[in-house]
Amino acid sequence: MVNGEPELRLQNALANSPSVYLRAHKDNPVAWQEWSPKTLSLAKRYQRLIFLSIGYNACHWCHVMERESFSSPEVAEILNTFFIPIKLDRESRPDLDDIYMSYVTATTGSGGWPLNVFLTPDLKPVFGGTYWPGPAPTTNLMPATPHDEAPVTFIGILKKMKEVWATQRERCLQSSSEITDQLLAFAGEGIHSHSDSQAREAEPSSSDPPEPLDLDLLDDALSHFISRYDSTHGGFSPSPTAPKFPTPSNLTFLLRIGAAIALPSTHTRFGFFSPVPGILGRESCLTAARMSLHTLLAMSRSGLRDQLGYGFHRYSVTADWNLPHFEKMMCDNAQLLGCYCDAWALGRDPEILGTIYNLVEYFTNPESPIVHPEGGWYSSEDADSRTTLSSMSNGAMSDDKKEGAFYVWTYKEFQSILGERDAAILARHFGVKPDGNVPAQHDMHDEFLTQNVLHIQATPSILAKEFGIPEEEIVRIVKAGRAKLREHRKTKREKPEVDTKIIASWNGLAITALARAANTLATIDKHRATRCQEAAERAAAFVRKSMYDEATGKLIRVTGPPASELDQDADTSNTAFVDDYAYLALANLALYDVALSQPYLDWAVRLQSYLDEHFIASTTGGYFQCPKPRDSSPPEQIIRLKPGTDNALPSPNGVICTNLLYLSSYIQSQHPSRSQSEATTYLSRARAILDAFAVEIIQHPFLYVTLLGATVMEQVGVKTIIAPMTAKESELRRLKGWGRTVVRGIVSEVMICTKDGVCRALKREDLEDVDDLDAEAEEEKGRALGKVDSVSSVGELRKAAVPASA
C-alpha cells in the first residue's frame, strides 16, 4: 500500500493499439500506456508525473531512442516505478503534439521528434526535450574536448525529475501553472486582435476594430524568403548548417507570385491576380519564380528524391539536399505534386514534368506502397529497414535495421550488379564514390561508411563527353542500369515498413493535388489525367464510406480496426480535428472544379457546416483545432489552440478562409434566392478569420502565406462564372483558375456575376485582370508580360535559376 492505495504495477498496454507506431513498442520493458481517461486518472490517483513520449512510425530518431532507452531494463525500472509512461502517435493526436511541441520549442529554442515531456497529473508541462542519449548510446555525442560537458542523458534526466517531484512538488506545480499561462501567450494564435487575451468564448469580443490587412504584406513576406534563399542549392533556411525542408506552402506562395505576371492561360491561372503584380513589381515576381523553380529542380535532382523509386523523403540535413532523413510522408508528397504542377505551368520544363509523372505513379500505381486497394493512401514509409532479407538460424529476422538501408549503395554493389563499364557511368551519373558520399560529420551512427545516397550529378550530355560514348547510348545505359538497381533493391532488400493509417486530412491534401494534376495533364497526357481524377474520386468515396457519418456529419481521423477489437482501455474516440474537415472540404471543392459533380459541392457545404457548429470561435473569429469539449468529459487539452501558421501542412484557418470564399461564390451562382443570406454568412466568417489573425499576420507575414493568399482573394473577390450547359470541357478549362468558380447553368453565353449577385455577359478583359492603366502603360505591360511568357524567356529563367554545373 502507498498512501492508502494498493501498489501500482503497470503492464505494457500497447499490443492491441490501432497505431502501428504504438504497437512497435509493445515488447519494450517500459510499461507503456495509451493516452486515455483511465491512464490519466492513474496519474492523479497515485500523484505521479506523466512521462509523455510522442513520435510517429517513420521517425528515425524515434527508433534510435526506442533502441537505446525504451528497450533498457534500467530505464524501464525507473519509468515503471516512479512515473506513468504514455506513448502517443502524433499523427493520431496532433492536438496534444502541437501543445507540447509549443512548450518544448518555447523553453529550448527548438523542437522535433521524439518529443518527450514530463507532465503533472493535471497535464501541465514541467520539463521536456527531444532525443536524449540512453544508457548505451549509439550516437557520437561525446565531448569535443576534455573540458566540455558531457551531454545530458535520459537516465540522468529521469533521476533528476524523480528527485524534484519527491522533494519540491509544490514548487514544481506552481512553476508548471506559470509555464502554462505563458504558453498560451506564446502559442495562442488568432487571439491577439481582441482585448480578451485568454480568448474565453463566454466573453464578448473586443469592440476595437481589427487591424487592417494591406496587400503590401505580400512584399514583406517575399523579402523574408529572399533573405533566406540559398542561391546555390535552392531552398530556404536560417543558416547554412540548418536542416532544409521543402515547405510546400511557401513554394506555392512563391509560384503564385511568379505566375502573377504570366499571360493568362489554361495553366498559369493559379497566380495572384491584379493588383498584386503592380504592388510587387515585375522584378519581384520574377525573383519569386526563379527561387521556386530553382528549388524544385534542385530537389528533383537531389538525394531528397528517391532516384530509383517514387517520391521524396521528408527533409535534408545538408544544404545541398543530398543527405535526407529517409522517411517518406504521404502528406509531403501530395503537396509537392501540386507544387510541381504549378512549376510546370510556369516554366514548361520537361524535367519538372518527369517529376510530376513520378509523383502521379506514387499515388495511382496499384503497386505503390502507399496506395490502399479500396481507395485512399497510407500515411508514411519508414526511414529504417534491414539491409538484407536474410533471417537468423532460428528463422527470426535479425534486428539490424539501419537508416536509409533500402536507398543507399556502395560502389562495389554497382560493380557487382552493373559490370565495370556501366558501373562507372552510373556512378558518375548518381554521384557514387568508392569511399561513399556521406560527410562524416553527419554520420552519427557510422551507418553510412562507404555508402552513397543517389543524386543526379551528371546529365547524359556530360557523360557522353566524359566517356566518349554517343548520348543516345548513354541514355540507354542509364535507363537499363536504373532498372537493374531497382530490381535488386526490390528483390534483395527489406522494404521499409509502411504505416497503414489512413488519415482523413492527409487524404484530403492528396485528393486536392490529384485533382490539380488532372487539370494540369488534361492537355498533355489524357491517360494520366484520367488516372489522377479516378484515384482522387475513389479516395473521396472511400473516406465518405469508411470515415464519415452521414447522419451526424462527423468524421473520424484515422481508419483502423473497429472499437470491438481494441483494448477496452484504449483511446477509441478517434476524434477528427479542424484540419480533417478543412482539407476534405478543400478536396471536395477541387473535385467539383474538375468534375462539376454536385455531390462534391454538397459534401463541402456539410463539412463546413460541421466546422461552423463544433469548431468556430464565435466571439473572436477563426476555428479551434479541437471540437468543443463535452461538458461531461474532463478537458484533455490544457489550452485550446487556433492554428493559423503554415508549417509542414497548410494553415487550417487559411484553408477554411479560402473554402468559405469559394463557397460564397458557389452559393451565389447556384442559388440566387439564397445568395444574400448564405453568401454573406460565408464572407463574414472568412473576414472574421482574417481579423482574428491580423496582428500576427502583420508582425510575421511569412508565417501566414495561406492566409495572405486568402487576403488577396477576399479583397479582390472571387470571380463567379456561369457557363452554358452545352459548354465543352476544353471551354470550361479555359475559364477555371485560382480565385474563380465555374458552374454550368441555363444561360446562352458565359456570364460573370458580381459580389452583389448581378450577372452579365463575360468580357475578355474580365479574366485577364488588367489594371486600369492608360493605353501607353497598357501596351508596355503587354510587352513585359509577353517577355515573361515566351518560351525563350522561360528557358532563360531556368538558366538563371539552376547552376549550369547541375
Side-chain angles (χ1 to χ4, degrees), residues 296-435:
L296 287 164
L297 277 167
M299 286 166 47
S300 184
R301 298 170 178 176
S302 74
L304 190 74
R305 179 179 171 184
D306 180 357
Q307 295 294 340
L308 297 179
Y310 302 133
F312 290 82
H313 304 292
R314 183 166 164 257
Y315 71 98
S316 174
V317 300
T318 56
D320 61 4
W321 301 103
N322 284 333
L323 183 58
H325 275 311
F326 289 88
E327 62 262 38
K328 290 184 189 176
M329 313 304 293
M330 184 274 275
C331 57
D332 293 339
N333 283 280
Q335 294 176 87
L336 286 172
L337 174 57
C339 289
Y340 278 98
C341 286
D342 290 348
W344 158 254
L346 190 57
R348 290 296 197 278
D349 190 315
E351 195 173 339
I352 291 289
L353 186 60
T355 306
I356 293 173
Y357 287 169
N358 177 270
L359 287 167
V360 166
E361 286 296 306
Y362 197 28
F363 283 93
T364 64
N365 190 325
E367 295 185 3
S368 167
I370 64 168
V371 170
H372 183 264
E374 297 177 30
W377 300 275
Y378 302 129
S379 63
S380 63
E381 294 185 71
D382 204 339
D384 297 11
S385 61
R386 296 178 181 86
T387 54
T388 68
L389 289 172
S390 60
S391 58
M392 295 184 292
S393 57
N394 62 0
M397 295 300 295
S398 60
D399 187 22
D400 62 343
K401 286 188 176 184
K402 293 183 179 180
E403 184 184 13
F406 188 68
Y407 303 102
V408 297
W409 301 83
T410 65
Y411 187 80
K412 288 183 177 180
E413 285 179 308
F414 264 45
Q415 291 175 313
S416 173
I417 296 166
L418 303 174
E420 289 291 338
R421 186 200 69 167
D422 291 3
I425 292 172
L426 270 86
R428 177 74 177 96
H429 176 62
F430 284 126
V432 172
K433 302 175 181 179
D435 295 332

Side-chain angles (χ1 to χ4, degrees), residues 13 16 34 41 58-59 118-119 129 154 205 212 233 481-482 504 533 551 665 671 795:
N16 296 316
E34 290 200 69
S41 69
C59 168
F118 293 89
L119 311 177
F154 187 43
S205 61
H233 304 294
R482 285 170 58 92
Q533 183 171 338
S665 177
H671 304 284

